[in-house]
Amino acid sequence: MEQVLVVDRNKLLNGRKLPYGFRQTGLKGLIERIYQHGYFINRPAAESDPNRKQIIPYMLVKHRNKYFLLQRQSTQTEKRLHNKHSLGVGGHINPVDGITTIKGILEKGLERELHEELNITCPYTYTPVGYLND
């Protein structure tokens, strides 16, 4: 069964309510709490437990002054995304053999998404710019 990265909601924002939408404030502390308190559980349990927040990195891809826009195919697994447009790519984070830190696993997950979704083979850098709660 697929395992996904989660953090208990009360630990993610030190007991405060997670704001809805996109935010940039408090990003560094949020990332540190993910590193500190993240763990893996079976995906169905994560999706049915409101006390846990699934951590799903989402990336906008920019080259010079242009952003990548993706139209989802109707053959992908998540039906709610069929034929929809996305300005970025992302996905659940799963355990990675041989990597023991949440930070390392998150970085590997970002790399996996770029290669799976976009087949990026050139050197790249990434910069966290905010978080999205929806």
Side-chain angles (χ1 to χ4, degrees), residues 41-119:
I41 63 171
N42 291 336
R43 186 170 176 175
E47 293 183 348
S48 64
D49 186 348
N51 295 312
R52 295 184 176 120
K53 190 71 176 162
Q54 298 177 62
I55 306 302
I56 303 174
Y58 190 78
M59 298 161 284
L60 301 179
V61 177
K62 181 181 176 184
H63 178 68
R64 297 191 179 128
N65 65 344
K66 295 182 180 180
Y67 288 90
F68 179 80
L69 179 66
L70 169 74
Q71 182 174 6
R72 303 287 181 167
Q73 297 180 352
S74 59
T75 56
Q76 75 171 71
T77 55
E78 293 193 53
K79 291 182 180 182
R80 65 184 175 84
L81 299 177
H82 287 182
N83 301 310
K84 303 279 184 183
H85 288 84
S86 291
L87 193 56
V89 296
H92 288 87
I93 297 297
N94 312 110
V96 178
D97 288 341
I99 301 177
T100 58
T101 67
I102 296 297
K103 180 179 181 183
I105 291 169
L106 273 168
E107 289 173 351
K108 198 66 169 173
L110 288 169
E111 181 181 313
R112 183 194 75 227
E113 287 298 323
L114 283 173
H115 292 290
E116 280 181 4
E117 300 283 344
L118 306 179
N119 196 24

